[in-house]
Amino acid sequence: LGMQVLVEIHTHHQDQIKIAKQVDWVYDFALPPLILHTLYTHNAAHLKRWLRISPRNCVTVLDTHDGIGVIDVGPDRRGAGMSPGLLTAEEIDKLVETIHVRSKGESRQATGAAANNLDLYQVNCTYYDALGQRDAEYLIARALQFFAPGIPQVYYVGLLAGTNDLDLLH
């Protein structure tokens, strides 16, 4: 058994598809925001599209030590033109704002300039808090992750339905 390569990169979804063809494994960072979007809006169109085209050699995640990435579902702004994302800029804004509302503002305190961090490609929030600690939605999200193409990876905080710890900011 030889060494295998697992690539961790936050980028446009088309780049993920291309990279997946060249390596053993890629992380599916588009899945977490798309599942949130689906649960928030009750519209699975974007998630269904992603599940049709997503790499099959992926490791699926909902939560990581990095929070919830949103750049992976956004448009590609590089080059002369702009390739559309899996979500529109307006849908991403609504997604982020809903995370802030569902987490009772804790994610806003832990993200971007409010937390003295320039990581604006992600929202610092546990997945459980991003769902407003709604157990039924959390179980649906995990079921979607486990049945999506790829191998599911559950971060230990997610396994324990962990909540935000704002004391870490101080």
Side-chain angles (χ1 to χ4, degrees):
L1 194 59
M3 184 170 50
Q4 294 189 347
V5 175
L6 169 60
V7 175
E8 177 180 353
I9 184 168
H10 289 277
T11 186
H12 188 260
H13 70 278
Q14 291 292 347
D15 291 339
Q16 280 286 43
I17 292 169
K18 289 176 192 168
I19 290 167
K21 293 176 183 176
Q22 300 171 29
V23 298
D24 299 301
W25 300 99
V26 293
Y27 278 106
D28 184 350
F29 290 125
L31 189 64
L34 289 173
I35 289 177
L36 287 175
H37 173 78
T38 298
L39 291 170
Y40 292 166
T41 65
H42 304 268
N43 179 345
H46 296 307
L47 177 61
K48 286 170 40 177
R49 176 173 175 252
W50 175 241
L51 293 175
R52 278 195 307 274
I53 65 172
S54 66
R56 297 318 192 229
N57 58 325
C58 65
V59 174
T60 64
V61 295
L62 293 186
D63 38 18
T64 71
H65 66 278
D66 286 331
I68 301 164
V70 292
I71 194 171
D72 309 280
V73 294
D76 184 359
R77 292 182 166 88
R78 299 171 298 180
M82 186 167 73
S83 298
L86 295 166
L87 296 176
T88 66
E90 181 181 320
E91 288 169 324
I92 292 171
D93 288 344
K94 286 180 182 176
L95 173 75
V96 170
E97 190 55 36
T98 305
I99 292 171
H100 293 330
V101 168
R102 291 266 190 114
S103 71
K104 298 178 181 125
E106 291 178 348
S107 58
R108 190 182 313 276
Q109 293 177 51
T111 300
N116 293 320
N117 114 31
L118 300 176
D119 241 348
L120 299 179
Y121 70 88
Q122 68 191 23
V123 178
N124 295 320
C125 185
T126 68
Y127 213 80
Y128 189 57
D129 276 331
L131 288 169
Q133 299 183 12
R134 297 175 186 186
D135 293 339
E137 288 184 355
Y138 191 67
L139 291 173
I140 290 168
R142 285 289 170 203
L144 288 168
Q145 176 197 6
F146 279 46
F147 289 104
I151 297 174
Q153 175 184 323
V154 180
Y155 183 52
Y156 71 93
V157 173
L159 176 68
L160 302 172
T163 58
N164 295 326
D165 184 351
L166 294 184
D167 290 339
L168 291 174
L169 288 176
H170 308 293

